[in-house]
Amino acid sequence: MEASGETPPVAIADRHYSGKFQVRVPEEVHRRLAIRAAEQGVSLNALASSRLAGA
């Protein structure tokens, strides 16, 4: 790519990540997660983050 003047893509591990992305889930899944977060006394974001991280 460089020989032809193109810029090679940045490796995935070397890219900058904002820490944000949007996920669409069915309404019932949203409801269950919101209830579980409230029961645990955490935000929906904190619950989702911990689940995505495998905690």
Side-chain angles (χ1 to χ4, degrees):
M1 289 183 83
E2 290 175 343
S4 65
E6 295 180 63
T7 304
V10 176
I12 290 175
D14 295 333
R15 293 179 185 172
H16 170 76
Y17 292 92
S18 68
K20 301 178 204 175
F21 69 99
Q22 187 173 28
V23 178
R24 289 183 176 82
V25 296
E27 289 178 9
E28 182 57 28
V29 172
H30 187 175
R31 179 182 173 279
R32 287 194 321 255
L33 289 170
I35 290 169
R36 182 158 300 151
E39 290 171 347
Q40 294 180 13
V42 299
S43 69
L44 179 55
N45 186 67
L47 179 70
S49 293
S50 68
R51 291 212 165 182
L52 288 168

